[in-house]
Amino acid sequence: MAVQQVLQECLNNWRNISELDYCLMNLDETVAVSTSPDKHLPSSKKIQDFLESTALGVATSREQLFKIHTNGDITHILIVFGKSDSAQTIGELAVCQVESLLNAYREKNDKNIFMQNLLLGTYNDMDIYNKAKKLRISTTAPRAVFMVETKQNKDENALATIRNIFSARTRDFITALDDNGIIIVRELPSTDTLDDLLGIAYMLVDMLNTEVMTPAWVSFGNIAHSLNELPNAFRESKTAIEVGKIFYSQKNVFSYNQLGIGRLIYQLPISICEMFIDEIFKNESLDSLDEETMTTIKIFFENNLNLSETSRQLYVHRNTLVYRFEKLQKKFGLDIRTFEDALTFKLAMMVVEYIKYSKRKKS
């Protein structure tokens, strides 16, 4: 919930209790929130005279004025409409609550900004230590960085759901870094392993599917045992989600330590990949294969080159499969019924996906 909504609810509650109206004014004399927008506000001269004085509160003929401090600085003026002694006492109590809310919001906001800049590698080790100490953030607690992406850009429902899931965990940080990426920095028990992180990732996917009705991808890197290791954990998480979406599109949870051969291909220059494809397919193209043939190949690979199981799953005769693979061999010169040619073809399929992804990213 935005701070303005929280402050409005706070003043509405005070109005219901005290039967007095309130206005929270910014220092530029604009109204932040008010329980009665039609109320006549003090003159600009009265406001400026009050701000220049040393008094924390003053009473005029119609209202009480109070200075609101956030982290030691004057940031707002609270106006309580009423001139009785009780109005002054109630105003002083309201000041305490408004200041608590503003300080809590500012501290949370400062922590989020710090964490965002930390993940992006903005700080050196000394800056990390000093800023963390000031914000009362542990520098040595183990943490994991999760990246969540949905198919909808700026999915506020997904962000709200994730914040609700971790609402009781005050030491976790949840932020959106771009249009469709949500970052979770989760503080971990010292006993947690990568298997525990896998369980958290699957829980996030299931919750988003159930609560928001949206498919999501979740990735994570290695556990960071100190704050200065978090930027690397963030890069690992970002790499994992990109590699996973390119090469393992049938999955929705990706661990940096379980990316397999996709990670190797991802680090190759596109020019090398294109040379490899030209060498394997020559004048032919993988796109020239029809959907039926591609499905046959994928299921054949999933069944570890087992012809009988593949024919059973596809409801076709074994000889029909043999015929399809012989046509494929004639076209590309690769017999995927043999391990070496199957490996080459599988690599070529993955490399083609990577080339397509790179071209889409540039366009």
Side-chain angles (χ1 to χ4, degrees), residues 6-217:
V6 175
L7 290 170
Q8 185 69 60
E9 287 187 7
C10 171
L11 294 189
N12 287 342
N13 289 335
W14 277 103
R15 186 184 189 282
N16 293 335
I17 294 169
S18 65
E19 297 183 349
L20 297 171
D21 278 307
Y22 301 82
C23 175
L24 188 65
M25 181 182 287
N26 299 311
L27 294 187
D28 62 1
E29 299 183 34
T30 58
V31 174
V33 293
S34 175
T35 60
S36 181
D38 297 331
K39 286 284 187 181
H40 183 70
L41 299 175
S43 67
S44 180
K45 185 178 186 306
K46 285 183 179 179
I47 296 293
Q48 293 306 313
D49 287 346
F50 174 52
L51 288 174
E52 291 171 6
S53 72
T54 58
L56 296 178
V58 297
T60 70
S61 58
R62 296 183 300 107
E63 64 268 319
Q64 312 277 339
L65 276 62
F66 301 92
K67 292 175 182 174
I68 300 291
H69 293 77
T70 308
N71 285 9
D73 299 321
I74 301 172
T75 56
H76 299 81
I77 296 171
L78 179 65
I79 303 169
V80 181
F81 295 96
K83 57 181 182 178
S84 64
D85 291 339
S86 62
Q88 181 177 349
T89 303
I90 291 169
E92 289 172 351
L93 292 172
V95 165
C96 292
Q97 187 171 8
V98 170
E99 286 184 342
S100 295
L101 290 171
L102 286 172
N103 281 314
Y105 177 80
R106 182 167 179 175
E107 182 177 355
K108 181 180 178 181
N109 195 46
D110 286 348
K111 286 182 177 180
N112 282 336
I113 291 172
F114 165 74
M115 194 58 68
Q116 286 182 357
N117 288 331
L118 172 63
L119 294 177
L120 295 173
T122 305
Y123 305 127
N124 58 37
D125 288 351
M126 187 59 70
D127 286 338
I128 292 172
Y129 176 79
N130 289 334
K131 291 179 183 294
K133 185 177 180 181
K134 183 178 179 181
L135 293 170
R136 299 189 296 279
I137 298 173
S138 171
T139 59
T140 56
R143 295 179 176 88
V145 179
F146 293 88
M147 178 171 281
V148 181
E149 283 192 12
T150 62
K151 291 188 177 181
Q152 301 177 27
N153 287 347
K154 295 183 179 179
D155 195 338
E156 294 295 334
N157 290 332
L159 183 59
T161 298
I162 291 171
R163 283 180 171 155
N164 186 54
I165 292 171
F166 298 111
S167 60
R169 297 181 57 87
T170 58
R171 295 181 181 178
D172 292 346
F173 297 90
I174 301 167
T175 186
L177 284 183
D178 52 35
D179 285 348
N180 60 348
I182 300 169
I183 307 300
I184 304 164
V185 180
R186 182 181 174 94
E187 189 169 314
L188 305 170
S190 58
T191 55
D192 270 16
T193 65
L194 291 177
D195 286 339
D196 295 309
L197 303 191
L198 203 61
I200 295 169
Y202 278 115
M203 178 270 291
L204 285 167
V205 169
D206 290 342
M207 288 294 290
L208 289 172
N209 277 328
T210 304
E211 301 293 333
V212 192
M213 306 294 287
T214 182
W217 299 278

